[in-house]
């Protein structure tokens, strides 16, 4: 059955029409408008749009100089794209474990994984909750490393120092993929206060045009200059990661509603939290939210202990769906256990100057491996409280049908 959409209304259509009506003229530059708005909201000097939240990470790594022979520390419990971009930079992903209660990158394990080759830490603010960036930033500073925040799942979250997600590290990176707090279908954006990084990120994703600057992706050159066979256009080896003007028009309308979208997720997350934290059982253990942190719930994650009661993850999920549940996201395979990395290891492929099999030993992350099998992420992308109540009812029914709890 076709579900009626509610996310893209009014302004999205107005802005898309505006850009189409000009035959997609670069004079308006929806990208520039979107960048300015996003940078302002985050109180950052520069923002750079991109075609995905994977491309943005690649751009961020390039901008800080990650390259052949370097190592980048990433949590092993995250999306594989975090590992791919390190690999694509010619560097080696080194896996750090996660905290058992927040499921986020563990600063203590990060410390243990630092070597002479480490260049950067990729702090992934998953589920809508920020990592312990106070500790991670201090580790980065002490060891002369760059700190990049992956906020694909984390919009307008705050830590206990009232800092907004994406602004604590050197660079913040977001995804506008279909399922995210804000969406352009596919897309992404970066922010930074560092002019050099901003220019490098823009050129790396903007086919290396030499006229691109930290502040703008608009080609502001006199036509008489470049309509000349002598004109040299590029000064950087690069990719085309640009966001189309049509998607930027959608993105601008979405960013204008950022508070509304975040509020909806938070409201859903709070409803789940009230339900799960009042259950008198250890079947579910909700994620720990450190004091003073503001979670913005890309999903609502819990540890599922059903095995103890003879109920598998899959059995619970299938029964939940049968009872009207939306479905439950599992945690991703740990990055080192995803097929491309496993195969590379087996075949002895190199990333940068490092034989991948050599680096594997540094990637032992037992807590991540154990959590990976148990995490359940309930969806928070419903359009109102009524829909969330329906999800909670479906969880109650499931618990009853499986004879785990009675209501
Ligand atoms: C934590 C995280 N990082 C990066 C990405 C990649 O974003 P995109 O799908 O826009 O390439 C995602 C998307 O799922 C994500 O969840």
């Amino acid at each position: 059955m076709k579900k009626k959409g509610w996310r893209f209304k009014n302004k999205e259509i107005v802005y898309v029409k505006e850009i189409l009506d000009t035959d997609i003229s670069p004079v308006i530059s929806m990208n520039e408008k979107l960048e300015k708005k996003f940078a302002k909201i985050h109180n950052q000097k520069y923002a750079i749009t991109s075609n995905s939240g994977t491309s943005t990470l690649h751009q961020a790594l390039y901008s800080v100089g990650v390259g052949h022979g370097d190592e980048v520390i990433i949590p092993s419990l995250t999306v594989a794209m975090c590992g791919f971009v390190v690999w694509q930079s010619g560097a080696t992903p080194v896996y750090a474990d996660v905290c058992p209660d927040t499921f986020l990158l563990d600063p203590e394990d990060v410390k243990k994984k630092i070597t002479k080759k480490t260049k950067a830490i990729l702090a992934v603010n998953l589920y809508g909750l920020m990592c312990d960036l106070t500790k991670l930033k201090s580790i980065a500073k002490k060891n002369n490393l760059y700190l990049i925040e992956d906020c694909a799942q984390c919009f307008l979250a705050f830590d206990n120092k009232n800092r907004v997600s994406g602004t604590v590290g050197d660079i913040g990176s977001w995804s506008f993929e279909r399922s995210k707090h804000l969406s352009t279908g596919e897309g992404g954006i970066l922010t930074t206060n560092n002019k050099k990084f901003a220019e490098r990120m823009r050129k790396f994703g903007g086919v290396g045009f030499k006229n691109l600057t930290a502040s703008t992706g608009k080609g502001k050159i006199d036509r008489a200059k470049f309509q000349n066979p002598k004109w040299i256009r590029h000064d950087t080896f690069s990719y085309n990661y640009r966001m189309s003007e049509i998607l930027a028009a959608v993105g601008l309308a979405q960013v204008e509603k950022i508070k509304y979208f975040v509020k909806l997720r938070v409201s859903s997350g709070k409803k789940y939290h009230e339900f799960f934290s009042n259950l008198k059982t250890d079947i579910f253990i909700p994620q720990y939210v450190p004091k003073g942190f503001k979670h913005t719930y890309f999903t609502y994650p819990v540890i599922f202990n059903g095995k103890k009661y003879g109920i598998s993850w899959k059995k619970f999920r299938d029964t939940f769906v049968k009872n009207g549940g939306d479905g439950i996201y599992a945690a991703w395979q740990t990055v080192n256990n995803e097929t491309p990395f496993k195969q590379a290891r087996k075949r002895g492929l190199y990333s940068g100057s490092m034989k991948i099999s050599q680096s594997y030993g540094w990637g032992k992350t037992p807590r991540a491996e154990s959590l990976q099998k148990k995490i359940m992420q309930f969806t928070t992308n419903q359009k109102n409280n009524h829909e969330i109540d329906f999800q909670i009812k479906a969880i109650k029914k499931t618990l009853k049908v499986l004879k785990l709890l009675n209501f």
Side-chain angles (χ1 to χ4, degrees), residues 51-57 78-79 81-82 124-126 150-153 173-177 179-180 186-188 298 332:
N51 65 0
S52 78
T54 304
S55 308
T56 50
L57 293 175
T78 181
V79 297
M81 292 76 105
C82 297
V124 190
N125 297 324
L126 288 163
D150 180 353
C151 305
Q153 302 188 359
S173 163
W174 287 260
S175 162
F176 292 146
E177 176 269 335
S179 68
K180 303 300 190 285
E186 299 286 353
F298 171 64
W332 327 265

Side-chain angles (χ1 to χ4, degrees), residues 121-256:
I121 301 168
L122 184 60
V124 190
N125 297 324
L126 288 163
Y127 320 103
L129 181 65
M130 286 166 78
C131 302
D132 185 344
L133 290 165
T134 302
K135 282 194 186 147
L136 289 168
K137 193 169 178 167
S138 135
I139 295 166
K141 202 168 166 201
K142 226 184 213 163
N143 294 278
N144 212 12
L145 308 175
Y146 296 104
L147 181 62
I148 296 166
E149 282 179 71
D150 180 353
C151 305
Q153 302 188 359
C154 197
F155 287 72
L156 295 193
F158 286 84
D159 71 0
N160 55 352
K161 293 189 171 164
N162 212 25
R163 297 175 298 189
V164 66
S165 41
T167 65
V168 183
D170 296 288
I171 295 169
S173 163
W174 287 260
S175 162
F176 292 146
E177 176 269 335
R178 193 192 63 79
S179 68
K180 303 300 190 285
H181 287 72
L182 304 185
S183 174
T184 55
E186 299 286 353
I189 198 161
L190 293 148
T191 63
T192 184
N193 273 331
N194 184 304
K195 191 173 178 188
K196 185 177 120 202
F197 298 160
E199 185 171 313
R200 281 173 67 83
M201 291 194 287
R202 199 182 286 286
K203 283 195 177 170
F204 190 65
V207 287
F209 281 127
K210 72 175 181 193
N211 58 306
L212 295 177
T213 70
S215 306
T216 180
K218 230 165 147 181
K220 278 186 185 152
I221 356 169
D222 179 358
R223 286 203 303 172
K225 251 187 182 173
F226 71 81
Q227 291 181 353
N228 180 340
K230 289 193 176 150
W231 178 251
I232 292 173
R233 288 167 170 73
H234 308 270
D235 64 6
T236 311
F237 276 118
S238 59
Y239 291 81
N240 184 354
Y241 286 163
R242 292 177 301 200
M243 175 179 270
S244 82
E245 278 291 284
I246 296 170
L247 289 190
V250 175
L252 176 62
Q254 291 270 297
V255 171
E256 286 175 352

Side-chain angles (χ1 to χ4, degrees), residues 87-377:
W87 179 268
Q88 283 152 0
S89 306
T92 302
V94 172
Y95 310 105
D97 216 337
V98 294
C99 299
D101 50 3
T102 62
F103 323 147
L104 297 172
L105 187 59
D106 176 8
E108 292 311 311
D109 204 47
V110 167
K111 271 190 216 163
K112 291 183 200 152
K113 303 284 163 70
I114 293 173
T115 72
K116 278 191 204 133
K117 294 183 174 180
T118 313
K119 188 88 174 225
I121 301 168
L122 184 60
V124 190
N125 297 324
L126 288 163
Y127 320 103
L129 181 65
M130 286 166 78
C131 302
D132 185 344
L133 290 165
T134 302
K135 282 194 186 147
L136 289 168
K137 193 169 178 167
S138 135
I139 295 166
K141 202 168 166 201
K142 226 184 213 163
N143 294 278
N144 212 12
L145 308 175
Y146 296 104
L147 181 62
I148 296 166
E149 282 179 71
D150 180 353
C151 305
Q153 302 188 359
C154 197
F155 287 72
L156 295 193
F158 286 84
D159 71 0
N160 55 352
K161 293 189 171 164
N162 212 25
R163 297 175 298 189
V164 66
S165 41
T167 65
V168 183
D170 296 288
I171 295 169
S173 163
W174 287 260
S175 162
F176 292 146
E177 176 269 335
R178 193 192 63 79
S179 68
K180 303 300 190 285
H181 287 72
L182 304 185
S183 174
T184 55
E186 299 286 353
I189 198 161
L190 293 148
T191 63
T192 184
N193 273 331
N194 184 304
K195 191 173 178 188
K196 185 177 120 202
F197 298 160
E199 185 171 313
R200 281 173 67 83
M201 291 194 287
R202 199 182 286 286
K203 283 195 177 170
F204 190 65
V207 287
F209 281 127
K210 72 175 181 193
N211 58 306
L212 295 177
T213 70
S215 306
T216 180
K218 230 165 147 181
K220 278 186 185 152
I221 356 169
D222 179 358
R223 286 203 303 172
K225 251 187 182 173
F226 71 81
Q227 291 181 353
N228 180 340
K230 289 193 176 150
W231 178 251
I232 292 173
R233 288 167 170 73
H234 308 270
D235 64 6
T236 311
F237 276 118
S238 59
Y239 291 81
N240 184 354
Y241 286 163
R242 292 177 301 200
M243 175 179 270
S244 82
E245 278 291 284
I246 296 170
L247 289 190
V250 175
L252 176 62
Q254 291 270 297
V255 171
E256 286 175 352
K257 290 183 280 192
I258 189 169
K259 286 195 178 151
Y260 164 73
F261 285 122
V262 168
K263 208 170 149 193
L264 269 183
R265 298 261 183 172
V266 172
S267 164
S268 303
K270 283 190 171 161
K271 282 227 157 207
Y272 280 121
H273 193 66
E274 198 185 316
F275 171 72
F276 281 113
S277 51
N278 285 318
L279 278 184
K280 306 247 171 312
T281 171
D282 66 350
I283 299 167
F284 300 104
I285 302 174
Q287 176 192 34
Y288 171 67
V289 182
K291 198 160 174 262
F293 278 60
K294 187 189 160 213
H295 202 314
T296 57
Y297 298 105
F298 171 64
T299 55
Y300 187 87
V302 296
I303 296 173
F304 177 65
N305 275 329
K307 211 172 164 194
K308 185 171 159 189
Y309 300 91
I311 303 293
S312 70
W313 197 107
K314 183 83 170 59
K315 175 85 184 162
F316 187 91
R317 182 259 170 213
D318 291 349
T319 316
F320 175 59
V321 171
K322 246 188 229 159
N323 284 291
D326 244 1
I328 303 170
Y329 293 125
W332 327 265
Q333 292 300 323
T334 49
V335 180
N336 34 337
N337 278 323
E338 277 293 354
T339 307
F341 286 105
K342 267 173 133 170
Q343 281 180 349
R345 217 157 51 229
K346 213 158 134 193
R347 302 198 334 244
L349 291 184
Y350 284 78
S351 173
S353 62
M354 177 69 56
K355 202 170 180 189
I356 194 76
S357 54
Q358 277 175 270
S359 65
Y360 182 54
W362 306 336
K364 295 258 162 66
T365 55
R367 271 178 262 135
E369 306 285 337
S370 158
L371 281 169
Q372 191 277 330
K373 297 179 186 74
K374 294 182 181 169
I375 286 179
M376 281 188 167
Q377 300 182 66

Side-chain angles (χ1 to χ4, degrees), residues 51-86:
N51 65 0
S52 78
T54 304
S55 308
T56 50
L57 293 175
H58 195 193
Q59 286 166 276
L61 292 177
Y62 168 82
S63 78
V64 300
V66 169
H68 286 263
D70 293 331
E71 292 173 4
V72 177
I73 300 179
I74 69 169
S76 66
L77 192 59
T78 181
V79 297
M81 292 76 105
C82 297
F84 290 159
V85 289
V86 177

